[in-house]
Amino acid sequence: MDRLVIDDLELKGKRVLTRVDFNVPIADGKVGDDTRIRAALPTINKVISDGGRLILMSHLGRPKGKPDSKFSLKPVAEHLAGLLEKPVVMAADCVGDSVEKQVSKLQDGEVLLLENVRFHKEETSNEPEFAKQLADHGEVFINDAFGTAHRAHASTVGVAKILKEAAAGYLLQSEVETLTKMLESPEKPYVVILGGAKVADKLQVIRNIITKVSAILVGGGMAYTFLKARGTEIGDSLLDDNSIATAHNAMVVADNPHPEKRLDFVLPLDHTVASSPKAPDFQTSPNGGIASGAMGVDIGPKTIAAFREKILTAKSIFWNGPMGIFENENFATGTIEVAKAVAEATGNGAFSVIGGGDSVAALEKAGVKESISHVSTGGGASLEFMAGIDLPGINALSKAKKKPEVAAQ
Ligand code: AMP
């Protein structure tokens, strides 16, 4: 990447202020799924083993800009100490005199975790004075929080602009490098699978990748806006009226008269339909249309088979968004079958990238998470990256130093 990375930094004896994404589930004072904490370990271990003085900061949940013990990072400090097998000192706040004292006492290789940065409303509004107080804790800055890279907050963008050296941690670096490969040099056939409810977000992705992919498979609630744009009856299914014209344009581009530029744009061929998202009764609609009084809640068996066939031809796969209202077990089949097909294709040699909490949850439900090439830690951030939007958290990092040119032999 064209930004400074952790391996470019001299860490010994330095105060290393590091933004991580420890936004993990907490129940009864204990950390639940610790994937995000583990994902930051390579960066954390590098700072410790190089003799840096590590000051970690993160957000947790949405505490509305003031302290709320429900969202304290204390359980994370305990959990991290267990993973590192060494003490992790927990600060009572992220700024202020007592925190400054704790920072100044840190020795080489020691770890301090600041309290939730979102206990201050100045975090999300990126107030310069608050950013300066955070930045004063460190001599160098590392951002390893890909999940918040699309947000311009004080702990991501504010501090990066103040400290002279602001570098990507290993996790951020690997996310950026992987997604860049999916945008710039994916091996073909390249199959992109999109689902979920928000059409507008995914239309931006479609616009940015449409000339680079072999097939786009659309499922989930967003598919109904596309079906409507094709003139299909969609009954009471989810519809984004404002996106119908853009959806129509995307399908016109996909249907390019030039055979080499044409791509498969596959919409659901059948559906699971119900009277509401929570209805106990449901049926399979035998074809693309849905009568009024019913809504599409999952892709149907013909669609699953068609998607699976396409997925198994792929050498590169990007997937974001569920194929149905998968929170309801009755409507989770499409999402789980797609997860299994992506895992199978990966086993056959495809490179697969999956982002978005729902898709990742489906991988877990299907028991195939370990079979995926790259599970992104940032749903929103990965989607914006794929849409070609500059992520402020990455943009704020220092530019990479020019490598000295190798003299000609
Ligand atoms: P997104 O954040 O855009 O990826 O949307 C995720 C949400 O889309 C999930 O909560 C799903 O329940 C929802 N969803 C998926 N399929 C449908 C559908 N057919 N109708 C309504 N909502 C859906």
Side-chain angles (χ1 to χ4, degrees), residues 19 62 118 123-124 126 143 146-158 380-381 384 391-394:
R19 175 60 156 101
R62 295 173 191 268
R118 289 198 191 160
E123 158 66 0
T124 50
N126 191 11
N143 188 353
F146 181 70
T148 46
H150 57 318
R151 304 272 181 247
H153 293 168
S155 66
T156 57
V157 169
E384 289 199 16
L391 304 189
I394 295 168

Side-chain angles (χ1 to χ4, degrees), residues 196-198 202 220-221 224 238 296-297 322 324-325 327 358:
K198 292 181 226 106
K202 276 121 193 172
Y224 300 102
L238 195 72
V297 289
I325 305 177
E327 296 90 339
D358 296 329

